[in-house]
Amino acid sequence: MEHRALVQVAQEAGIQQVELLPASRAAAVGAGLPIGEPRAHLVVDVGAGMTDVAVFSLGQEVTATSIPVAGDAMDQAIVRWPREHRSSWQENARRRGSSTRSAGS
């Protein structure tokens, strides 16, 4: 439904020909990847709820997949990891004799 609505709005705005690209192709083109070359180009698009991965070569999508792990889960993991490993950081700092305080304090 989103695609039809977008095409309709574009046509109502006077655009005669509308072509929608898959997000991975749009990301590759927007990043300036030479996807028309005879080599593989891997595109990874990390969204809030999904990660899309595609491989392009000779201007064609060779393979693509989506997985339901993305920004939200990655953000949570980034926040959780330091909390879970803080004691090991502090122990390593004590062994080296370094201070865990920031410079200037």
XYZ file of all heavy atoms in Angstrom:
775
model
N 0.818 -1.193 0.000
C 0.000 0.000 0.000
C 0.860 1.255 0.000
O 0.547 2.212 -0.679
C -0.942 -0.026 1.205
C -1.896 1.118 1.234
S -2.962 1.054 -0.202
C -3.892 2.512 0.009
N 1.965 1.264 0.721
C 2.826 2.443 0.758
C 3.348 2.780 -0.630
O 3.425 3.941 -0.998
C 4.003 2.214 1.702
C 3.632 2.126 3.148
C 4.841 1.814 4.016
O 5.976 1.874 3.529
O 4.630 1.510 5.192
N 3.697 1.758 -1.396
C 4.252 1.984 -2.729
C 3.221 2.644 -3.635
O 3.529 3.608 -4.337
C 4.723 0.666 -3.344
C 5.915 0.097 -2.656
N 6.915 -0.554 -3.333
C 6.284 0.066 -1.365
C 7.840 -0.949 -2.486
N 7.466 -0.592 -1.278
N 1.996 2.115 -3.620
C 0.943 2.696 -4.458
C 0.677 4.143 -4.075
O 0.492 5.001 -4.943
C -0.344 1.882 -4.336
C -0.417 0.760 -5.354
C -1.771 0.155 -5.354
N -1.936 -0.541 -4.065
C -3.006 -1.155 -3.683
N -4.070 -1.144 -4.452
N -3.071 -1.770 -2.524
N 0.630 4.422 -2.785
C 0.373 5.787 -2.327
C 1.491 6.725 -2.772
O 1.221 7.849 -3.207
C 0.233 5.808 -0.810
N 2.728 6.277 -2.694
C 3.857 7.106 -3.110
C 3.809 7.385 -4.605
O 4.013 8.521 -5.047
C 5.172 6.421 -2.731
C 6.440 7.207 -2.967
C 6.403 8.543 -2.236
C 7.644 6.402 -2.508
N 3.516 6.366 -5.403
C 3.406 6.545 -6.848
C 2.275 7.512 -7.164
O 2.418 8.418 -7.991
C 3.188 5.187 -7.549
C 2.813 5.383 -9.016
C 4.440 4.323 -7.430
N 1.146 7.368 -6.492
C -0.001 8.239 -6.736
C 0.332 9.699 -6.415
O 0.026 10.605 -7.195
C -1.199 7.780 -5.914
C -2.444 8.605 -6.158
C -3.634 8.119 -5.341
O -3.560 7.102 -4.668
N -4.720 8.858 -5.412
N 0.979 9.923 -5.286
C 1.348 11.292 -4.902
C 2.317 11.882 -5.916
O 2.184 13.046 -6.318
C 1.952 11.311 -3.474
C 2.616 12.635 -3.179
C 0.882 10.998 -2.451
N 3.290 11.097 -6.359
C 4.260 11.585 -7.340
C 3.563 11.938 -8.650
O 3.846 12.977 -9.261
C 5.344 10.539 -7.568
N 2.644 11.087 -9.082
C 1.924 11.357 -10.326
C 1.029 12.583 -10.193
O 0.912 13.381 -11.126
C 1.121 10.126 -10.746
C 2.024 9.006 -11.214
C 1.294 7.700 -11.471
O 0.215 7.459 -10.946
N 1.910 6.844 -12.282
N 0.398 12.756 -9.053
C -0.430 13.937 -8.820
C 0.404 15.215 -8.815
O -0.089 16.289 -9.124
C -1.202 13.800 -7.507
C -2.321 12.778 -7.566
C -2.975 12.511 -6.222
O -2.592 13.163 -5.221
O -3.871 11.648 -6.171
N 1.693 15.068 -8.481
C 2.604 16.223 -8.482
C 3.147 16.506 -9.877
O 3.937 17.426 -10.063
C 3.756 15.975 -7.512
N 2.723 15.702 -10.868
C 3.137 15.963 -12.242
C 4.271 15.078 -12.750
O 4.723 15.254 -13.874
N 4.735 14.169 -11.959
C 5.800 13.261 -12.401
C 5.147 12.160 -13.228
O 4.263 11.448 -12.755
C 6.567 12.680 -11.201
C 7.205 13.831 -10.415
C 7.604 11.673 -11.656
C 7.826 13.413 -9.107
N 5.588 12.038 -14.475
C 4.922 11.106 -15.380
C 5.399 9.657 -15.193
O 4.610 8.728 -15.309
C 5.129 11.537 -16.824
C 4.424 12.853 -17.114
C 4.611 13.286 -18.546
O 5.183 12.582 -19.361
N 4.124 14.477 -18.853
N 6.665 9.477 -14.952
C 7.185 8.115 -14.790
C 7.794 7.990 -13.392
O 8.683 8.749 -13.022
C 8.243 7.793 -15.835
C 8.759 6.369 -15.739
C 9.743 6.049 -16.849
O 9.951 6.830 -17.765
N 10.370 4.898 -16.754
N 7.316 7.024 -12.644
C 7.779 6.805 -11.279
C 8.337 5.396 -11.181
O 7.657 4.433 -11.553
C 6.627 6.982 -10.257
C 7.125 6.736 -8.850
C 6.017 8.357 -10.387
N 9.550 5.281 -10.715
C 10.170 3.969 -10.512
C 10.675 3.908 -9.081
O 11.493 4.727 -8.662
C 11.327 3.766 -11.486
C 11.974 2.414 -11.374
C 13.097 2.215 -12.374
O 13.174 2.967 -13.367
O 13.913 1.313 -12.137
N 10.176 2.954 -8.328
C 10.611 2.784 -6.947
C 11.737 1.752 -6.894
O 11.646 0.696 -7.514
C 9.436 2.333 -6.074
C 8.253 3.299 -6.016
C 7.156 2.719 -5.136
C 8.696 4.643 -5.487
N 12.772 2.091 -6.174
C 13.915 1.187 -6.021
C 13.846 0.496 -4.668
O 13.408 1.099 -3.692
C 15.230 1.974 -6.078
C 15.539 2.766 -7.336
C 16.820 3.563 -7.140
C 15.658 1.836 -8.518
N 14.342 -0.741 -4.598
C 14.495 -1.368 -3.275
C 15.452 -0.519 -2.436
O 16.369 0.121 -2.968
C 15.100 -2.734 -3.588
C 14.782 -2.990 -5.028
C 14.737 -1.639 -5.681
N 15.242 -0.513 -1.135
C 16.058 0.323 -0.241
C 17.539 0.022 -0.378
O 18.373 0.935 -0.350
C 15.598 0.131 1.201
N 17.897 -1.247 -0.543
C 19.317 -1.597 -0.651
C 19.939 -1.016 -1.918
O 21.072 -0.534 -1.890
C 19.504 -3.118 -0.609
O 18.741 -3.726 -1.625
N 19.201 -1.027 -3.029
C 19.727 -0.442 -4.269
C 19.848 1.070 -4.117
O 20.841 1.672 -4.528
C 18.836 -0.787 -5.459
C 19.336 -0.169 -6.769
C 18.484 -0.561 -7.954
N 18.564 -1.968 -8.237
C 19.526 -2.543 -8.970
N 20.491 -1.802 -9.465
N 19.524 -3.835 -9.190
N 18.847 1.701 -3.514
C 18.900 3.145 -3.299
C 20.084 3.510 -2.408
O 20.775 4.500 -2.661
C 17.590 3.632 -2.689
N 20.344 2.699 -1.383
C 21.487 2.959 -0.498
C 22.802 2.830 -1.254
O 23.708 3.649 -1.091
C 21.457 1.992 0.687
N 22.912 1.819 -2.109
C 24.137 1.615 -2.886
C 24.383 2.776 -3.840
O 25.491 3.304 -3.924
C 24.056 0.296 -3.651
N 23.332 3.173 -4.548
C 23.459 4.283 -5.491
C 23.756 5.578 -4.740
O 24.632 6.355 -5.126
C 22.179 4.415 -6.356
C 22.201 5.679 -7.189
C 22.025 3.188 -7.243
N 23.054 5.806 -3.642
C 23.271 7.014 -2.845
C 24.667 7.093 -2.255
O 25.215 8.179 -2.084
N 25.258 5.938 -1.952
C 26.616 5.910 -1.406
C 27.674 5.992 -2.498
O 28.870 6.033 -2.217
C 26.818 4.628 -0.597
N 27.235 5.988 -3.742
C 28.179 6.101 -4.854
C 28.891 4.805 -5.201
O 29.931 4.831 -5.860
N 28.350 3.664 -4.775
C 28.980 2.389 -5.113
C 28.823 2.109 -6.606
O 27.731 2.249 -7.149
C 28.351 1.237 -4.325
C 28.648 1.184 -2.843
C 27.894 0.018 -2.199
C 30.133 1.010 -2.607
N 29.879 1.692 -7.261
C 29.795 1.382 -8.692
C 29.210 -0.019 -8.902
O 29.908 -0.947 -9.307
C 31.250 1.473 -9.146
C 32.038 1.096 -7.936
C 31.248 1.614 -6.759
N 27.912 -0.180 -8.621
C 27.302 -1.511 -8.633
C 27.235 -2.118 -10.030
O 26.959 -3.301 -10.172
C 25.908 -1.516 -7.973
C 24.941 -0.602 -8.716
C 26.015 -1.144 -6.501
C 23.507 -0.689 -8.217
N 27.507 -1.331 -11.062
C 27.509 -1.854 -12.423
C 28.792 -2.563 -12.799
O 28.868 -3.207 -13.847
N 29.807 -2.469 -11.958
C 31.096 -3.111 -12.251
C 31.019 -4.626 -12.056
O 30.165 -5.120 -11.315
C 32.186 -2.547 -11.330
C 32.530 -1.111 -11.622
C 33.656 -0.608 -10.726
O 34.081 -1.335 -9.809
O 34.092 0.532 -10.946
N 31.940 -5.366 -12.685
C 31.946 -6.826 -12.539
C 32.651 -7.281 -11.258
O 33.574 -8.081 -11.286
C 32.691 -7.293 -13.792
C 33.626 -6.174 -14.097
C 32.879 -4.921 -13.704
N 32.242 -6.723 -10.141
C 32.731 -7.138 -8.833
C 31.570 -7.067 -7.862
O 30.577 -6.406 -8.127
C 33.891 -6.295 -8.315
C 34.193 -5.038 -9.027
C 35.412 -4.306 -8.533
N 35.419 -4.061 -7.103
C 35.882 -2.983 -6.545
N 36.384 -2.032 -7.287
N 35.874 -2.820 -5.255
N 31.708 -7.743 -6.764
C 30.625 -7.778 -5.781
C 30.698 -6.563 -4.863
O 31.780 -6.138 -4.464
C 30.708 -9.052 -4.954
N 29.526 -6.028 -4.543
C 29.412 -4.916 -3.609
C 28.368 -5.296 -2.561
O 27.213 -5.549 -2.900
C 28.992 -3.632 -4.325
C 29.982 -3.171 -5.334
N 31.097 -2.450 -5.005
C 30.042 -3.368 -6.673
C 31.803 -2.203 -6.087
N 31.176 -2.752 -7.114
N 28.790 -5.345 -1.309
C 27.905 -5.713 -0.213
C 27.312 -4.448 0.390
O 28.038 -3.509 0.718
C 28.687 -6.467 0.870
C 27.935 -6.838 2.136
C 26.883 -7.898 1.834
C 28.893 -7.340 3.198
N 25.993 -4.428 0.519
C 25.288 -3.291 1.103
C 24.561 -3.784 2.342
O 23.801 -4.752 2.286
C 24.274 -2.687 0.101
C 23.483 -1.565 0.753
C 24.989 -2.197 -1.140
N 24.816 -3.133 3.474
C 24.147 -3.471 4.728
C 23.411 -2.224 5.197
O 24.026 -1.184 5.412
C 25.155 -3.931 5.806
C 24.436 -4.267 7.099
C 25.961 -5.126 5.307
N 22.109 -2.344 5.323
C 21.252 -1.227 5.750
C 20.659 -1.584 7.109
O 19.788 -2.442 7.205
C 20.153 -0.996 4.712
C 19.236 0.166 5.069
O 19.538 0.916 6.018
O 18.200 0.319 4.393
N 21.168 -0.939 8.156
C 20.702 -1.211 9.512
C 19.627 -0.193 9.859
O 19.897 0.998 9.962
C 21.855 -1.131 10.532
C 21.347 -1.415 11.934
C 22.968 -2.102 10.159
N 18.401 -0.681 10.006
C 17.287 0.182 10.383
C 17.007 0.030 11.862
O 17.801 -0.538 12.610
N 15.872 0.534 12.285
C 15.508 0.445 13.698
C 15.106 -0.967 14.092
O 15.441 -1.435 15.176
C 14.372 1.412 14.016
N 14.413 -1.671 13.190
C 13.915 -2.998 13.538
C 14.390 -4.108 12.621
O 14.227 -5.283 12.932
N 14.958 -3.761 11.477
C 15.406 -4.764 10.510
C 16.767 -4.372 9.953
O 17.069 -3.188 9.832
C 14.433 -4.866 9.324
C 13.058 -5.389 9.652
S 13.040 -7.140 10.064
C 13.268 -7.876 8.471
N 17.551 -5.382 9.608
C 18.799 -5.173 8.887
C 18.647 -5.842 7.532
O 18.316 -7.027 7.450
C 19.997 -5.771 9.637
O 20.143 -5.068 10.884
C 21.282 -5.629 8.849
N 18.845 -5.080 6.462
C 18.773 -5.595 5.100
C 20.185 -5.729 4.561
O 21.001 -4.804 4.710
C 17.966 -4.653 4.201
C 16.543 -4.470 4.684
O 15.909 -5.494 5.017
O 16.063 -3.323 4.714
N 20.474 -6.864 3.954
C 21.790 -7.123 3.377
C 21.588 -7.536 1.929
O 20.731 -8.380 1.635
C 22.521 -8.248 4.142
C 23.898 -8.487 3.551
C 22.621 -7.916 5.620
N 22.358 -6.940 1.025
C 22.245 -7.278 -0.391
C 23.633 -7.258 -1.026
O 24.524 -6.532 -0.575
C 21.335 -6.293 -1.108
N 23.795 -8.071 -2.056
C 25.027 -8.092 -2.842
C 24.654 -7.714 -4.272
O 23.725 -8.289 -4.849
C 25.696 -9.484 -2.814
C 26.926 -9.507 -3.723
C 26.073 -9.865 -1.393
N 25.400 -6.742 -4.837
C 25.173 -6.286 -6.198
C 26.410 -6.557 -7.040
O 27.540 -6.451 -6.549
C 24.892 -4.774 -6.231
C 23.596 -4.397 -5.593
C 23.538 -4.046 -4.263
C 22.431 -4.404 -6.341
C 22.337 -3.703 -3.671
C 21.222 -4.058 -5.751
C 21.174 -3.711 -4.417
N 26.195 -6.884 -8.302
C 27.274 -7.032 -9.268
C 26.677 -6.858 -10.654
O 25.548 -7.311 -10.912
C 27.941 -8.403 -9.153
O 29.044 -8.476 -10.035
N 27.411 -6.201 -11.523
C 26.956 -5.939 -12.894
C 25.578 -5.286 -12.922
O 24.760 -5.559 -13.789
C 26.959 -7.234 -13.719
C 28.339 -7.851 -13.951
C 28.203 -9.217 -14.610
C 29.199 -6.924 -14.795
N 25.309 -4.431 -11.940
C 24.062 -3.686 -11.893
C 22.859 -4.470 -11.402
O 21.761 -3.942 -11.358
N 23.064 -5.725 -11.035
C 21.960 -6.564 -10.595
C 22.120 -6.950 -9.133
O 23.237 -7.085 -8.634
C 21.902 -7.852 -11.434
C 21.701 -7.619 -12.909
C 20.371 -6.958 -13.211
O 19.349 -7.344 -12.668
N 20.390 -5.943 -14.071
N 21.001 -7.158 -8.482
C 21.023 -7.692 -7.120
C 21.249 -9.199 -7.236
O 20.443 -9.913 -7.812
C 19.696 -7.401 -6.427
C 19.664 -7.831 -4.976
C 18.335 -7.499 -4.337
O 18.203 -6.362 -3.845
O 17.451 -8.378 -4.355
N 22.377 -9.675 -6.687
C 22.722 -11.091 -6.777
C 21.963 -11.879 -5.715
O 21.409 -12.941 -5.984
C 24.246 -11.298 -6.621
C 24.605 -12.767 -6.634
C 25.001 -10.532 -7.700
N 21.942 -11.350 -4.523
C 21.218 -11.985 -3.426
C 20.891 -10.923 -2.386
O 21.569 -9.891 -2.312
C 22.024 -13.150 -2.799
O 21.218 -13.836 -1.860
C 23.286 -12.650 -2.133
N 19.857 -11.195 -1.596
C 19.471 -10.240 -0.561
C 18.691 -10.970 0.521
O 18.055 -11.990 0.263
C 18.618 -9.122 -1.152
N 18.781 -10.436 1.729
C 18.007 -10.986 2.834
C 17.767 -9.893 3.863
O 18.450 -8.870 3.865
C 18.722 -12.200 3.471
O 17.833 -12.852 4.369
C 19.971 -11.776 4.222
N 16.811 -10.138 4.719
C 16.520 -9.231 5.833
C 16.481 -10.058 7.104
O 15.993 -11.188 7.099
C 15.167 -8.552 5.643
O 15.198 -7.712 4.517
N 17.013 -9.481 8.174
C 16.956 -10.161 9.466
C 16.355 -9.209 10.492
O 16.571 -8.000 10.421
C 18.349 -10.660 9.925
C 19.349 -9.514 9.996
C 18.852 -11.764 9.022
C 20.681 -9.892 10.620
N 15.592 -9.751 11.440
C 14.901 -8.890 12.408
C 15.769 -8.479 13.590
O 15.330 -8.458 14.725
C 13.719 -9.762 12.854
C 14.242 -11.147 12.751
C 15.157 -11.139 11.555
N 17.016 -8.170 13.323
C 17.925 -7.638 14.347
C 18.486 -6.354 13.767
O 19.013 -6.353 12.660
C 19.069 -8.626 14.658
C 20.061 -8.011 15.622
C 18.518 -9.930 15.199
N 18.356 -5.278 14.518
C 18.805 -4.013 13.943
C 19.125 -3.002 15.015
O 19.483 -3.369 16.136
C 17.746 -3.494 12.993
N 18.957 -1.750 14.683
C 19.381 -0.644 15.528
C 18.911 -0.710 16.957
O 19.697 -0.495 17.881
N 17.625 -0.999 17.169
C 17.116 -1.030 18.543
C 17.840 -2.087 19.371
O 18.290 -1.819 20.489
C 15.608 -1.295 18.559
C 14.813 -0.126 17.982
O 15.354 0.993 17.916
O 13.644 -0.343 17.608
N 17.966 -3.295 18.835
C 18.650 -4.372 19.561
C 20.132 -4.056 19.730
O 20.728 -4.336 20.776
C 18.478 -5.702 18.837
N 20.728 -3.462 18.703
C 22.148 -3.095 18.788
C 22.359 -2.006 19.842
O 23.319 -2.060 20.606
C 22.659 -2.642 17.430
C 22.752 -3.750 16.430
S 23.321 -3.103 14.848
C 23.021 -4.506 13.799
N 21.461 -1.012 19.873
C 21.559 0.040 20.892
C 21.507 -0.561 22.289
O 22.294 -0.197 23.168
C 20.429 1.061 20.733
C 20.587 1.941 19.508
O 21.667 1.929 18.900
O 19.606 2.632 19.166
N 20.571 -1.480 22.496
C 20.435 -2.117 23.807
C 21.698 -2.900 24.168
O 22.153 -2.857 25.314
C 19.211 -3.023 23.830
C 17.914 -2.257 23.759
C 16.717 -3.164 23.537
O 16.825 -4.381 23.545
N 15.557 -2.558 23.327
N 22.272 -3.591 23.204
C 23.492 -4.367 23.459
C 24.662 -3.450 23.792
O 25.477 -3.759 24.671
C 23.825 -5.241 22.252
N 24.744 -2.302 23.109
C 25.832 -1.351 23.372
C 25.710 -0.786 24.784
O 26.709 -0.594 25.481
C 25.834 -0.226 22.311
C 26.285 -0.811 20.971
C 26.707 0.942 22.732
C 26.056 0.111 19.790
N 24.498 -0.519 25.232
C 24.281 -0.001 26.581
C 24.561 -1.085 27.624
O 25.175 -0.841 28.659
C 22.840 0.536 26.733
C 22.495 0.813 28.180
C 22.676 1.793 25.887
N 24.145 -2.303 27.337
C 24.263 -3.410 28.292
C 25.716 -3.888 28.455
O 26.153 -4.195 29.556
C 23.371 -4.567 27.817
C 23.197 -5.670 28.805
C 22.184 -6.731 28.334
N 22.434 -7.210 26.981
C 21.649 -6.971 25.924
N 20.550 -6.275 26.059
N 21.948 -7.438 24.731
N 26.482 -3.931 27.381
C 27.825 -4.527 27.416
C 28.746 -3.850 28.442
O 29.367 -4.535 29.250
C 28.449 -4.503 26.021
C 29.647 -5.375 25.915
C 29.685 -6.695 25.619
C 31.010 -4.975 26.134
N 30.972 -7.148 25.630
C 31.808 -6.115 25.944
C 31.621 -3.783 26.470
C 33.184 -6.087 26.070
C 32.993 -3.746 26.601
C 33.764 -4.897 26.397
N 28.879 -2.520 28.451
C 29.767 -1.908 29.448
C 29.328 -2.181 30.889
O 30.168 -2.372 31.774
C 29.700 -0.408 29.149
C 29.196 -0.317 27.764
C 28.347 -1.524 27.544
N 28.032 -2.211 31.111
C 27.549 -2.497 32.465
C 27.954 -3.897 32.894
O 28.329 -4.115 34.049
C 26.026 -2.371 32.514
C 25.539 -0.955 32.385
C 24.025 -0.901 32.425
N 23.566 0.469 32.205
C 22.366 0.770 31.799
N 21.481 -0.174 31.556
N 22.027 2.031 31.615
N 27.859 -4.842 31.975
C 28.187 -6.227 32.298
C 29.683 -6.453 32.455
O 30.100 -7.404 33.100
C 27.635 -7.158 31.207
C 26.129 -7.214 31.178
C 25.588 -7.986 29.988
O 26.389 -8.419 29.125
O 24.360 -8.161 29.923
N 30.510 -5.605 31.872
C 31.961 -5.797 31.892
C 32.711 -4.751 32.709
O 33.931 -4.725 32.716
C 32.493 -5.814 30.456
C 31.998 -6.983 29.675
N 30.786 -6.972 29.028
C 32.529 -8.207 29.472
C 30.600 -8.141 28.439
N 31.627 -8.904 28.695
N 31.990 -3.922 33.435
C 32.635 -2.845 34.181
C 33.632 -3.360 35.215
O 34.734 -2.839 35.346
C 31.586 -1.975 34.871
C 32.218 -0.809 35.577
C 31.204 0.135 36.134
N 31.921 1.241 36.747
C 31.374 2.139 37.476
N 30.082 2.101 37.692
N 32.082 3.107 38.001
N 33.263 -4.403 35.945
C 34.174 -4.900 36.986
C 35.475 -5.415 36.382
O 36.544 -5.211 36.952
C 33.495 -5.989 37.823
O 33.165 -7.098 37.012
N 35.419 -6.043 35.211
C 36.659 -6.524 34.592
C 37.516 -5.353 34.124
O 38.740 -5.406 34.185
C 36.369 -7.491 33.445
O 35.651 -6.855 32.421
N 36.905 -4.256 33.666
C 37.668 -3.067 33.289
C 38.382 -2.496 34.502
O 39.555 -2.138 34.440
C 36.765 -1.988 32.728
C 36.158 -2.255 31.401
C 36.456 -3.275 30.538
C 35.145 -1.490 30.785
N 35.686 -3.179 29.431
C 34.861 -2.095 29.546
C 34.438 -0.360 31.155
C 33.913 -1.594 28.678
C 33.495 0.134 30.289
C 33.234 -0.475 29.063
N 37.637 -2.394 35.604
C 38.232 -1.824 36.811
C 39.378 -2.699 37.307
O 40.412 -2.188 37.729
C 37.168 -1.647 37.888
C 36.182 -0.553 37.531
C 35.002 -0.494 38.478
O 34.602 -1.502 39.048
N 34.425 0.694 38.629
N 39.215 -4.008 37.270
C 40.272 -4.913 37.702
C 41.499 -4.776 36.809
O 42.628 -4.716 37.302
C 39.773 -6.372 37.694
C 40.805 -7.378 38.157
C 41.307 -7.122 39.577
O 40.532 -6.609 40.417
O 42.492 -7.424 39.842
N 41.315 -4.677 35.513
C 42.440 -4.499 34.597
C 43.153 -3.177 34.862
O 44.384 -3.108 34.825
C 41.971 -4.556 33.143
C 41.615 -5.951 32.706
O 42.085 -6.925 33.288
N 40.790 -6.061 31.682
N 42.391 -2.129 35.161
C 42.995 -0.835 35.454
C 43.818 -0.910 36.736
O 44.915 -0.355 36.816
C 41.908 0.236 35.584
N 43.312 -1.595 37.742
C 44.065 -1.736 38.997
C 45.362 -2.506 38.763
O 46.405 -2.154 39.299
C 43.217 -2.449 40.047
C 42.277 -1.518 40.789
C 41.659 -2.222 41.987
N 40.597 -3.129 41.587
C 39.315 -2.787 41.483
N 38.942 -1.557 41.763
N 38.413 -3.646 41.110
N 45.296 -3.555 37.964
C 46.506 -4.344 37.681
C 47.563 -3.509 36.980
O 48.748 -3.677 37.229
C 46.153 -5.548 36.799
C 45.501 -6.662 37.543
C 45.396 -7.891 36.653
N 44.315 -8.729 37.127
C 43.495 -9.401 36.376
N 43.612 -9.369 35.056
N 42.540 -10.131 36.880
N 47.143 -2.628 36.096
C 48.099 -1.780 35.371
C 48.533 -0.596 36.211
O 49.439 0.124 35.819
C 47.466 -1.292 34.079
C 47.318 -2.356 33.010
C 46.937 -1.756 31.672
N 45.792 -0.845 31.782
C 44.535 -1.175 31.546
N 44.244 -2.401 31.186
N 43.564 -0.293 31.657
N 47.824 -0.350 37.306
C 48.172 0.794 38.148
C 47.657 2.100 37.588
O 48.111 3.162 37.985
N 46.731 2.038 36.662
C 46.200 3.279 36.090
C 44.951 3.699 36.846
O 44.328 2.946 37.552
C 45.882 3.078 34.604
O 44.876 2.102 34.466
N 44.597 4.942 36.658
C 43.416 5.495 37.301
C 42.217 5.386 36.368
O 42.356 5.546 35.159
C 43.655 6.962 37.646
O 42.471 7.548 38.099
N 41.046 5.153 36.926
C 39.831 5.110 36.112
C 39.195 6.502 36.017
O 38.216 6.670 35.343
C 38.799 4.121 36.702
O 38.511 4.516 38.043
C 39.306 2.703 36.645
N 39.786 7.499 36.719
C 39.266 8.858 36.639
C 39.710 9.506 35.333
O 40.756 9.192 34.802
C 39.767 9.694 37.809
C 39.125 9.272 39.125
C 39.604 10.144 40.214
N 40.968 9.718 40.524
C 41.714 10.284 41.439
N 41.267 11.306 42.117
N 42.915 9.839 41.688
N 38.896 10.445 34.848
C 39.240 11.134 33.605
C 40.378 12.117 33.858
O 40.618 12.545 34.976
C 38.014 11.857 33.044
O 37.578 12.824 33.961
N 41.035 12.500 32.787
C 42.159 13.442 32.879
C 41.670 14.770 33.419
O 40.588 15.238 33.089
C 42.777 13.637 31.498
N 42.450 15.369 34.275
C 42.116 16.669 34.829
C 41.284 16.603 36.097
O 40.915 17.623 36.634
N 40.945 15.405 36.578
C 40.133 15.348 37.792
C 40.964 14.978 38.989
O 42.079 14.616 38.939
C 39.001 14.333 37.641
O 39.467 13.078 37.254
